[in-house]
Coordinates of all heavy atoms in Angstrom, one line a residue:
M233 N 0.8 -1.2 0.0 CA 0.0 0.0 0.0 C 0.9 1.3 0.0 O 1.8 1.3 0.7 CB -0.8 0.1 1.3 CG -1.9 -1.0 1.4 SD -2.7 -0.9 2.9 CE -4.3 -0.5 2.4
S234 N 0.5 2.2 -0.8 CA 1.2 3.4 -0.8 C 0.4 4.5 -0.1 O -0.8 4.5 -0.1 CB 1.5 3.9 -2.3 OG 0.3 4.1 -2.9
K235 N 1.1 5.4 0.5 CA 0.4 6.5 1.2 C -0.2 7.5 0.1 O 0.5 7.7 -0.9 CB 1.3 7.2 2.1 CG 1.7 6.5 3.3 CD 2.5 7.4 4.2 CE 2.8 6.7 5.5 NZ 3.5 7.6 6.4
T236 N -1.4 7.9 0.4 CA -1.9 8.9 -0.5 C -1.3 10.3 -0.2 O -1.1 10.6 1.0 CB -3.5 9.0 -0.3 OG1 -3.7 9.4 1.0 CG2 -4.1 7.7 -0.6
P237 N -1.0 11.0 -1.2 CA -0.4 12.3 -1.0 C -1.4 13.3 -0.3 O -2.7 13.1 -0.5 CB -0.1 12.8 -2.4 CG -0.9 12.1 -3.3 CD -1.2 10.8 -2.6
L238 N -0.9 14.2 0.4 CA -1.8 15.2 1.1 C -2.4 16.1 0.0 O -1.7 16.6 -0.8 CB -1.1 16.0 2.1 CG -0.6 15.3 3.3 CD1 0.2 16.2 4.2 CD2 -1.8 14.8 4.1
N239 N -3.7 16.2 0.0 CA -4.3 17.2 -0.9 C -4.6 18.5 -0.2 O -4.5 18.6 1.1 CB -5.5 16.6 -1.6 CG -6.6 16.2 -0.6 OD1 -6.6 16.7 0.5 ND2 -7.4 15.3 -1.0
E240 N -5.1 19.4 -0.9 CA -5.3 20.8 -0.3 C -6.4 20.7 0.8 O -6.3 21.3 1.8 CB -5.8 21.7 -1.4 CG -5.9 23.2 -1.0 CD -6.2 24.1 -2.1 OE1 -5.8 23.8 -3.2 OE2 -6.9 25.1 -1.8
T241 N -7.4 19.9 0.6 CA -8.5 19.8 1.5 C -8.1 19.2 2.9 O -8.4 19.7 3.9 CB -9.7 18.9 1.0 OG1 -10.1 19.4 -0.3 CG2 -10.9 18.9 1.9
S242 N -7.2 18.2 2.8 CA -6.8 17.6 4.0 C -5.8 18.5 4.8 O -5.8 18.6 6.0 CB -6.1 16.2 3.8 OG -4.9 16.4 3.0
L243 N -5.1 19.3 4.0 CA -4.2 20.3 4.7 C -5.1 21.4 5.4 O -4.8 21.8 6.5 CB -3.3 21.0 3.6 CG -2.2 20.1 3.1 CD1 -1.4 20.9 2.0 CD2 -1.2 19.7 4.2
Q244 N -6.2 21.8 4.7 CA -7.0 22.8 5.3 C -7.7 22.2 6.6 O -7.8 22.9 7.6 CB -8.1 23.3 4.4 CG -7.6 24.1 3.2 CD -8.6 24.4 2.2 OE1 -9.7 23.9 2.2 NE2 -8.3 25.3 1.3
E245 N -8.1 21.0 6.5 CA -8.7 20.4 7.7 C -7.8 20.2 8.9 O -8.1 20.5 10.0 CB -9.3 19.0 7.3 CG -10.5 19.0 6.4 CD -10.9 17.6 6.0 OE1 -10.3 16.6 6.4 OE2 -11.9 17.6 5.2
T246 N -6.5 19.9 8.5 CA -5.5 19.8 9.6 C -5.2 21.1 10.2 O -5.2 21.2 11.4 CB -4.2 19.2 9.0 OG1 -4.5 18.0 8.3 CG2 -3.1 19.0 10.0
S247 N -5.2 22.2 9.4 CA -4.9 23.5 10.0 C -6.1 24.0 10.7 O -5.9 24.6 11.8 CB -4.5 24.5 8.9 OG -5.6 24.7 8.0
L248 N -7.3 23.7 10.3 CA -8.5 24.1 11.1 C -8.6 23.4 12.4 O -8.9 23.9 13.4 CB -9.8 23.8 10.3 CG -10.0 24.8 9.1 CD1 -11.3 24.3 8.3 CD2 -10.2 26.2 9.5
N249 N -8.3 22.1 12.4 CA -8.3 21.3 13.6 C -7.3 21.9 14.6 O -7.5 21.9 15.8 CB -8.0 19.8 13.4 CG -9.2 19.2 12.7 OD1 -10.3 19.6 12.8 ND2 -8.9 18.1 12.0
S250 N -6.1 22.3 14.1 CA -5.1 22.8 15.0 C -5.5 24.2 15.6 O -5.2 24.6 16.7 CB -3.8 22.9 14.3 OG -3.8 23.8 13.3
L251 N -6.3 24.9 14.8 CA -6.8 26.2 15.3 C -7.9 26.1 16.4 O -8.0 26.9 17.2 CB -7.4 27.0 14.1 CG -6.4 27.6 13.1 CD1 -7.1 28.3 12.0 CD2 -5.4 28.6 13.8
N252 N -8.7 25.0 16.3 CA -9.7 24.8 17.2 C -9.2 24.4 18.6 O -9.9 24.5 19.6 CB -10.7 23.8 16.7 CG -11.5 24.3 15.5 OD1 -11.7 25.5 15.4 ND2 -12.0 23.4 14.7
K253 N -8.0 23.8 18.7 CA -7.5 23.4 19.9 C -6.9 24.6 20.7 O -6.4 25.5 20.0 CB -6.4 22.3 19.7 CG -6.9 21.0 19.1 CD -5.8 20.1 18.9 CE -6.4 18.8 18.2 NZ -5.3 17.9 17.8
A254 N -7.0 24.6 22.0 CA -6.5 25.7 22.8 C -5.0 25.6 22.7 O -4.4 24.5 22.9 CB -7.0 25.6 24.2
P255 N -4.3 26.7 22.5 CA -2.8 26.7 22.5 C -2.3 26.3 23.8 O -2.9 26.5 24.9 CB -2.4 28.1 22.1 CG -3.7 28.8 21.6 CD -4.8 28.0 22.2
A256 N -1.0 25.8 23.9 CA -0.4 25.4 25.1 C -0.3 26.6 26.0 O 0.1 27.7 25.6 CB 1.0 24.8 24.8
G257 N -0.6 26.4 27.3 CA -0.4 27.5 28.2 C -1.7 28.3 28.4 O -1.8 29.1 29.3
R258 N -2.7 28.1 27.6 CA -4.0 28.8 27.7 C -5.0 27.8 28.2 O -5.1 26.6 27.9 CB -4.5 29.3 26.4 CG -3.7 30.5 25.9 CD -4.5 31.1 24.8 NE -3.9 32.4 24.4 CZ -4.3 33.2 23.4 NH1 -5.2 32.7 22.7 NH2 -3.7 34.3 23.2
S259 N -5.9 28.3 29.0 CA -7.0 27.4 29.5 C -8.1 27.4 28.5 O -8.2 28.3 27.6 CB -7.5 27.9 30.9 OG -8.1 29.1 30.7
S260 N -8.9 26.4 28.6 CA -10.1 26.3 27.7 C -11.1 27.4 27.9 O -11.8 27.8 27.1 CB -10.7 24.9 27.8 OG -11.3 24.8 29.1
K261 N -11.1 27.9 29.2 CA -12.0 29.0 29.5 C -11.6 30.3 28.7 O -12.5 31.0 28.2 CB -11.9 29.3 31.0 CG -12.9 30.3 31.5 CD -12.9 30.4 33.0 CE -14.1 31.1 33.5 NZ -14.1 31.2 34.9
E262 N -10.4 30.5 28.5 CA -10.0 31.7 27.7 C -10.4 31.5 26.2 O -10.9 32.5 25.6 CB -8.4 31.9 27.7 CG -7.9 32.4 29.1 CD -6.4 32.6 29.1 OE1 -5.8 31.7 28.5 OE2 -5.9 33.6 29.6
S263 N -10.2 30.3 25.7 CA -10.6 30.1 24.3 C -12.1 30.2 24.1 O -12.6 30.7 23.1 CB -10.1 28.8 23.8 OG -10.7 27.7 24.5
V264 N -12.9 29.8 25.1 CA -14.4 29.9 25.1 C -14.7 31.4 25.1 O -15.6 31.9 24.3 CB -15.0 29.2 26.3 CG1 -16.5 29.6 26.4 CG2 -14.8 27.7 26.1
T265 N -14.0 32.2 25.9 CA -14.3 33.6 26.0 C -14.0 34.3 24.6 O -14.7 35.1 24.1 CB -13.5 34.3 27.1 OG1 -13.8 33.6 28.3 CG2 -13.8 35.7 27.2
E266 N -12.8 33.9 24.1 CA -12.4 34.4 22.8 C -13.5 34.1 21.7 O -13.8 34.9 20.9 CB -11.1 33.9 22.4 CG -9.9 34.5 23.2 CD -8.6 33.8 22.9 OE1 -8.5 32.9 22.0 OE2 -7.6 34.2 23.5
K267 N -14.0 32.8 21.7 CA -15.0 32.4 20.8 C -16.2 33.3 20.9 O -16.8 33.7 19.9 CB -15.3 30.9 20.9 CG -14.2 30.0 20.4 CD -14.6 28.6 20.6 CE -13.5 27.6 20.2 NZ -13.9 26.2 20.4
R268 N -16.6 33.5 22.2 CA -17.8 34.3 22.4 C -17.6 35.7 21.9 O -18.5 36.3 21.3 CB -18.2 34.3 23.9 CG -18.8 33.0 24.3 CD -19.2 33.1 25.8 NE -19.7 31.8 26.2 CZ -19.8 31.5 27.5 NH1 -19.4 32.3 28.4 NH2 -20.3 30.2 27.8
L269 N -16.5 36.3 22.1 CA -16.2 37.7 21.7 C -16.2 37.7 20.1 O -16.7 38.6 19.5 CB -14.8 38.1 22.2 CG -14.8 38.4 23.7 CD1 -13.4 38.7 24.2 CD2 -15.7 39.6 24.1
R270 N -15.6 36.7 19.5 CA -15.5 36.7 18.1 C -16.9 36.5 17.5 O -17.3 37.2 16.5 CB -14.6 35.5 17.6 CG -14.4 35.5 16.1 CD -13.4 34.4 15.8 NE -13.1 33.7 17.0 CZ -12.4 32.6 17.1 NH1 -12.0 32.0 16.0 NH2 -12.2 31.9 18.2
A271 N -17.7 35.7 18.1 CA -19.1 35.5 17.7 C -19.9 36.8 17.8 O -20.7 37.1 16.9 CB -19.8 34.3 18.4
A272 N -19.7 37.5 18.9 CA -20.4 38.8 19.1 C -20.0 39.8 18.1 O -20.8 40.5 17.5 CB -20.1 39.3 20.5
A273 N -18.7 39.8 17.7 CA -18.2 40.7 16.7 C -18.8 40.4 15.3 O -19.2 41.3 14.6 CB -16.7 40.8 16.7
E274 N -18.8 39.1 15.0 CA -19.4 38.7 13.7 C -20.9 38.9 13.7 O -21.4 39.3 12.6 CB -19.1 37.2 13.5 CG -17.7 36.8 13.3 CD -17.4 35.3 13.2 OE1 -18.4 34.5 13.4 OE2 -16.3 34.9 13.0
G275 N -21.6 38.8 14.8 CA -23.0 39.1 14.9 C -23.3 40.6 14.6 O -24.2 40.9 13.9
K276 N -22.5 41.4 15.2 CA -22.6 42.9 15.0 C -22.3 43.2 13.5 O -23.0 44.0 12.9 CB -21.6 43.7 15.9 CG -22.1 43.7 17.3 CD -21.1 44.5 18.1 CE -21.4 44.5 19.6 NZ -20.4 45.2 20.4
S277 N -21.3 42.6 13.0 CA -21.0 42.8 11.6 C -22.1 42.4 10.7 O -22.5 43.1 9.7 CB -19.7 42.1 11.2 OG -19.5 42.2 9.8
A278 N -22.7 41.2 10.9 CA -23.8 40.7 10.1 C -25.0 41.6 10.2 O -25.7 41.8 9.2 CB -24.2 39.3 10.6
M279 N -25.3 42.1 11.4 CA -26.5 43.0 11.6 C -26.2 44.3 10.9 O -27.2 44.8 10.3 CB -26.7 43.3 13.1 CG -27.2 42.0 13.9 SD -28.7 41.4 13.3 CE -29.8 42.7 13.9
A280 N -25.0 44.8 10.9 CA -24.7 46.0 10.1 C -24.9 45.8 8.6 O -25.5 46.7 7.9 CB -23.3 46.5 10.4
E281 N -24.4 44.7 8.1 CA -24.6 44.4 6.7 C -26.1 44.3 6.3 O -26.5 44.8 5.3 CB -23.9 43.0 6.4 CG -22.4 43.2 6.3 CD -21.7 41.8 6.1 OE1 -22.4 40.8 5.8 OE2 -20.5 41.7 6.3
R282 N -26.9 43.6 7.2 CA -28.3 43.5 7.0 C -29.0 44.8 7.0 O -29.8 45.1 6.1 CB -28.9 42.5 8.0 CG -30.4 42.3 7.8 CD -30.9 41.3 8.8 NE -32.3 41.2 8.5 CZ -33.2 40.5 9.3 NH1 -32.7 39.9 10.3 NH2 -34.4 40.4 9.0
A283 N -28.6 45.7 7.9 CA -29.2 47.0 8.0 C -28.9 47.8 6.7 O -29.8 48.5 6.2 CB -28.8 47.7 9.3
A284 N -27.6 47.7 6.3 CA -27.2 48.4 5.1 C -28.0 47.9 3.9 O -28.5 48.7 3.0 CB -25.7 48.3 4.9
R285 N -28.2 46.6 3.8 CA -28.9 46.0 2.7 C -30.4 46.5 2.7 O -31.0 46.8 1.7 CB -28.8 44.5 2.7 CG -29.4 43.8 1.5 CD -29.1 42.3 1.5 NE -29.2 41.6 2.8 CZ -28.2 41.1 3.4 NH1 -27.0 41.1 2.8 NH2 -28.3 40.5 4.6
E286 N -31.0 46.5 3.9 CA -32.4 46.9 4.0 C -32.5 48.4 3.7 O -33.5 48.8 3.0 CB -32.9 46.6 5.4 CG -33.1 45.2 5.7 CD -33.5 44.9 7.2 OE1 -33.5 45.8 8.0 OE2 -33.8 43.7 7.5
A287 N -31.6 49.2 4.1 CA -31.6 50.6 3.7 C -31.5 50.8 2.2 O -32.2 51.7 1.6 CB -30.5 51.4 4.4
F288 N -30.7 50.1 1.6 CA -30.5 50.2 0.1 C -31.8 49.8 -0.6 O -32.3 50.4 -1.5 CB -29.4 49.2 -0.4 CG -29.3 49.1 -1.9 CD1 -28.8 50.2 -2.6 CD2 -29.8 48.0 -2.5 CE1 -28.7 50.1 -4.0 CE2 -29.8 47.9 -3.9 CZ -29.2 49.0 -4.6
V289 N -32.4 48.7 -0.1 CA -33.7 48.2 -0.7 C -34.8 49.3 -0.6 O -35.5 49.6 -1.5 CB -34.1 46.9 -0.1 CG1 -35.5 46.5 -0.6 CG2 -33.2 45.8 -0.6
A290 N -34.9 49.9 0.6 CA -35.9 50.9 0.9 C -35.6 52.1 0.0 O -36.6 52.7 -0.6 CB -35.8 51.3 2.4
Q291 N -34.4 52.6 -0.2 CA -34.1 53.7 -1.0 C -34.4 53.4 -2.5 O -35.0 54.2 -3.2 CB -32.6 54.1 -0.9 CG -32.3 54.8 0.4 CD -30.8 55.0 0.6 OE1 -30.0 54.6 -0.2 NE2 -30.5 55.8 1.6
N292 N -34.1 52.2 -2.9 CA -34.4 51.8 -4.3 C -35.9 51.7 -4.5 O -36.4 52.1 -5.6 CB -33.7 50.4 -4.6 CG -33.6 50.1 -6.0 OD1 -33.4 51.1 -6.8 ND2 -33.7 48.9 -6.4
T293 N -36.6 51.2 -3.5 CA -38.1 51.1 -3.7 C -38.7 52.5 -3.8 O -39.6 52.8 -4.6 CB -38.7 50.4 -2.4 OG1 -38.1 49.1 -2.4 CG2 -40.2 50.3 -2.5
I294 N -38.2 53.5 -3.0 CA -38.7 54.9 -3.1 C -38.4 55.4 -4.5 O -39.2 56.1 -5.1 CB -38.0 55.7 -2.0 CG1 -38.6 55.3 -0.6 CG2 -38.3 57.2 -2.2 CD1 -37.8 55.8 0.6
R295 N -37.2 55.2 -5.0 CA -36.8 55.7 -6.3 C -37.7 55.1 -7.4 O -38.2 55.9 -8.3 CB -35.3 55.4 -6.6 CG -34.8 55.9 -7.9 CD -33.3 55.4 -8.1 NE -33.2 54.0 -8.2 CZ -33.3 53.3 -9.4 NH1 -33.6 54.0 -10.5 NH2 -33.2 52.0 -9.4
L296 N -37.9 53.8 -7.3 CA -38.7 53.2 -8.4 C -40.1 53.6 -8.3 O -40.8 53.8 -9.4 CB -38.5 51.7 -8.3 CG -37.2 51.1 -8.6 CD1 -37.1 49.6 -8.3 CD2 -36.8 51.4 -10.1
R297 N -40.7 53.8 -7.1 CA -42.0 54.3 -7.0 C -42.2 55.7 -7.6 O -43.2 55.9 -8.3 CB -42.4 54.3 -5.5 CG -43.9 54.7 -5.3 CD -44.3 54.7 -3.8 NE -44.3 53.3 -3.3 CZ -43.8 53.0 -2.1 NH1 -43.3 53.9 -1.3 NH2 -43.8 51.8 -1.7
A298 N -41.2 56.5 -7.3 CA -41.3 57.9 -7.9 C -41.2 57.8 -9.4 O -42.0 58.6 -10.1 CB -40.1 58.7 -7.3
L299 N -40.4 57.0 -10.0 CA -40.3 56.9 -11.4 C -41.7 56.4 -12.0 O -42.2 56.9 -13.0 CB -39.2 55.9 -11.8 CG -37.8 56.4 -11.7 CD1 -36.8 55.3 -11.9 CD2 -37.5 57.6 -12.6
R300 N -42.3 55.4 -11.3 CA -43.5 54.8 -11.8 C -44.6 55.9 -11.7 O -45.4 56.0 -12.7 CB -43.9 53.6 -10.9 CG -45.3 53.0 -11.3 CD -45.7 51.8 -10.5 NE -45.6 52.0 -9.0 CZ -46.5 52.6 -8.3 NH1 -47.6 52.9 -8.8 NH2 -46.3 52.7 -7.0
L301 N -44.7 56.6 -10.6 CA -45.7 57.6 -10.5 C -45.6 58.7 -11.5 O -46.5 59.2 -12.1 CB -45.7 58.2 -9.1 CG -46.2 57.2 -8.0 CD1 -46.0 57.9 -6.6 CD2 -47.6 56.8 -8.2
A302 N -44.3 59.1 -11.8 CA -44.1 60.1 -12.8 C -44.5 59.6 -14.2 O -45.1 60.4 -15.0 CB -42.6 60.5 -12.8
K303 N -44.2 58.4 -14.5 CA -44.6 57.8 -15.8 C -46.1 57.7 -15.9 O -46.7 58.1 -17.0 CB -44.0 56.4 -16.0 CG -44.3 55.8 -17.3 CD -43.8 54.4 -17.4 CE -44.1 53.7 -18.7 NZ -45.5 53.7 -19.1
E304 N -46.8 57.3 -14.9 CA -48.2 57.3 -14.9 C -48.8 58.6 -15.1 O -49.8 58.8 -15.9 CB -48.8 56.6 -13.6 CG -48.5 55.1 -13.5 CD -48.9 54.5 -12.2 OE1 -49.4 55.3 -11.3 OE2 -48.8 53.3 -12.1
A305 N -48.3 59.7 -14.5 CA -48.8 61.0 -14.6 C -48.5 61.5 -16.1 O -49.4 62.1 -16.7 CB -48.1 62.0 -13.6
A306 N -47.4 61.2 -16.6 CA -47.1 61.6 -18.0 C -48.0 60.9 -19.0 O -48.5 61.5 -19.9 CB -45.6 61.3 -18.3
D307 N -48.3 59.6 -18.7 CA -49.2 58.9 -19.6 C -50.7 59.4 -19.5 O -51.3 59.6 -20.5 CB -49.3 57.4 -19.2 CG -48.0 56.6 -19.5 OD1 -47.2 57.2 -20.3 OD2 -47.8 55.5 -19.0
R308 N -51.1 59.8 -18.3 CA -52.4 60.5 -18.1 C -52.5 61.8 -18.9 O -53.5 62.1 -19.6 CB -52.7 60.7 -16.7 CG -53.6 59.7 -16.1 CD -54.0 60.0 -14.7 NE -53.4 59.1 -13.8 CZ -52.4 59.4 -12.9 NH1 -52.0 60.6 -12.8 NH2 -51.8 58.5 -12.2
A309 N -51.4 62.6 -18.8 CA -51.4 63.9 -19.5 C -51.4 63.7 -21.0 O -52.1 64.4 -21.7 CB -50.2 64.6 -19.0
A310 N -50.7 62.7 -21.5 CA -50.6 62.4 -22.9 C -52.0 62.0 -23.4 O -52.4 62.3 -24.5 CB -49.6 61.3 -23.2
R311 N -52.7 61.2 -22.6 CA -54.1 60.7 -23.0 C -55.0 61.9 -23.1 O -55.9 62.0 -23.9 CB -54.6 59.7 -22.1 CG -54.1 58.3 -22.4 CD -55.0 57.3 -21.6 NE -55.0 57.6 -20.2 CZ -54.5 56.9 -19.2 NH1 -53.9 55.8 -19.5 NH2 -54.5 57.3 -17.9
L312 N -54.9 62.8 -22.1 CA -55.8 64.0 -22.1 C -55.5 64.9 -23.3 O -56.4 65.6 -23.9 CB -55.7 64.8 -20.8 CG -56.2 64.0 -19.6 CD1 -55.9 64.8 -18.3 CD2 -57.7 63.8 -19.7
D313 N -54.2 65.1 -23.6 CA -53.8 66.0 -24.7 C -54.1 65.4 -26.1 O -54.5 66.1 -27.0 CB -52.3 66.2 -24.7 CG -51.9 67.1 -23.5 OD1 -52.8 67.7 -22.9 OD2 -50.7 67.1 -23.2
N314 N -54.1 64.1 -26.2 CA -54.3 63.4 -27.5 C -55.4 62.3 -27.2 O -55.0 61.1 -27.1 CB -53.0 62.7 -28.0 CG -52.0 63.8 -28.3 OD1 -52.3 64.9 -28.7 ND2 -50.7 63.4 -28.0
P315 N -56.6 62.6 -27.2 CA -57.6 61.6 -27.0 C -57.7 60.6 -28.2 O -57.4 61.0 -29.3 CB -58.9 62.4 -26.8 CG -58.7 63.7 -27.5 CD -57.2 63.9 -27.4
P316 N -58.0 59.4 -28.0 CA -58.1 58.5 -29.1 C -59.2 58.9 -30.1 O -60.2 59.5 -29.7 CB -58.4 57.1 -28.4 CG -59.0 57.5 -27.1 CD -58.4 58.8 -26.7
P317 N -59.1 58.6 -31.4 CA -60.1 59.0 -32.3 C -61.4 58.3 -32.0 O -61.4 57.1 -31.5 CB -59.5 58.5 -33.7 CG -58.5 57.5 -33.3 CD -57.9 57.8 -32.0
A318 N -62.5 59.0 -32.3 CA -63.8 58.4 -32.0 C -64.1 57.2 -33.0 O -63.7 57.3 -34.2 CB -64.9 59.4 -32.2
K319 N -64.7 56.2 -32.5 CA -65.0 55.0 -33.4 C -66.3 55.3 -34.1 O -67.2 55.9 -33.5 CB -65.1 53.8 -32.6 CG -63.8 53.4 -31.9 CD -63.9 52.0 -31.2 CE -62.6 51.6 -30.6 NZ -62.7 50.4 -29.8
P320 N -66.4 54.9 -35.4 CA -67.7 55.1 -36.1 C -68.7 54.2 -35.4 O -68.5 53.2 -34.9 CB -67.4 54.7 -37.5 CG -66.1 53.9 -37.4 CD -65.4 54.3 -36.2
A321 N -70.0 54.7 -35.5 CA -71.1 54.0 -34.9 C -71.3 52.7 -35.7 O -71.2 52.7 -36.9 CB -72.3 54.9 -34.9
K322 N -71.8 51.7 -35.1 CA -72.0 50.4 -35.7 C -73.4 50.5 -36.5 O -74.3 51.1 -36.0 CB -72.1 49.3 -34.7 CG -70.8 48.9 -34.1 CD -70.9 47.7 -33.3 CE -69.5 47.3 -32.7 NZ -69.6 46.2 -31.9
R323 N -73.5 49.9 -37.6 CA -74.7 49.9 -38.4 C -75.6 48.7 -37.8 O -75.1 47.7 -37.4 CB -74.5 49.6 -39.8 CG -73.7 50.7 -40.5 CD -73.6 50.4 -42.0 NE -72.8 51.4 -42.6 CZ -72.5 51.4 -43.9 NH1 -72.9 50.4 -44.7 NH2 -71.9 52.4 -44.5
A324 N -76.8 49.0 -38.0 CA -77.8 47.9 -37.6 C -77.8 46.8 -38.6 O -77.6 47.0 -39.8 CB -79.2 48.5 -37.5
A325 N -77.9 45.6 -38.2 CA -77.9 44.5 -39.1 C -79.2 44.4 -39.8 O -80.3 44.6 -39.3 CB -77.7 43.2 -38.2
K326 N -79.0 44.1 -41.1 CA -80.2 44.0 -42.0 C -80.8 42.6 -41.8 O -80.1 41.6 -41.7 CB -79.9 44.2 -43.4 CG -79.4 45.6 -43.8 CD -79.1 45.7 -45.2 CE -78.6 47.1 -45.5 NZ -78.2 47.3 -46.9
G327 N -82.1 42.6 -41.7 CA -82.6 41.2 -41.6 C -84.0 41.1 -42.0 O -84.9 41.4 -42.4

């Protein structure tokens, strides 16, 4: 049997596993605290990104609504200025 060469995935897994272990000289309590602080920071970042995305969507909605209302007003004005031609009256059927 020959050993399989290390691929990129196994190297990443090995490095991730070594990161998850508490370094020598540190207690597991410190690493738990660090994880909580990191999670709190990531949560704040995610909330800020979500708020920014929601603000963008709200501004875009306002802009598009204004464009739609302006187009509808222009269409109404065009219809009033240029009414459609009158249709000729229908003839009565002979019978």
Side-chain angles (χ1 to χ4, degrees):
M233 293 176 117
S234 65
K235 288 187 174 183
T236 58
L238 291 176
N239 59 22
E240 187 175 329
T241 306
S242 65
L243 288 176
Q244 288 175 351
E245 289 174 2
T246 304
S247 65
L248 288 176
N249 289 336
S250 65
L251 289 175
N252 290 335
K253 295 178 183 174
R258 285 192 172 176
S259 68
S260 63
K261 191 174 190 177
E262 286 178 322
S263 64
V264 169
T265 304
E266 289 174 1
K267 286 179 184 179
R268 287 184 183 162
L269 290 174
R270 188 174 3 167
E274 289 173 1
K276 286 180 184 179
S277 173
M279 291 298 290
E281 288 175 9
R282 182 176 179 187
R285 187 172 40 244
E286 287 175 357
F288 172 78
V289 169
Q291 289 174 349
N292 198 34
T293 301
I294 292 169
R295 180 183 65 86
L296 291 173
R297 181 179 295 140
L299 287 172
R300 178 181 50 86
L301 292 174
K303 182 184 181 307
E304 288 174 356
D307 290 347
R308 259 187 250 113
R311 276 193 309 247
L312 292 175
D313 290 344
N314 301 323
K319 294 183 179 178
K322 291 186 177 179
R323 294 184 182 178
K326 293 181 183 179

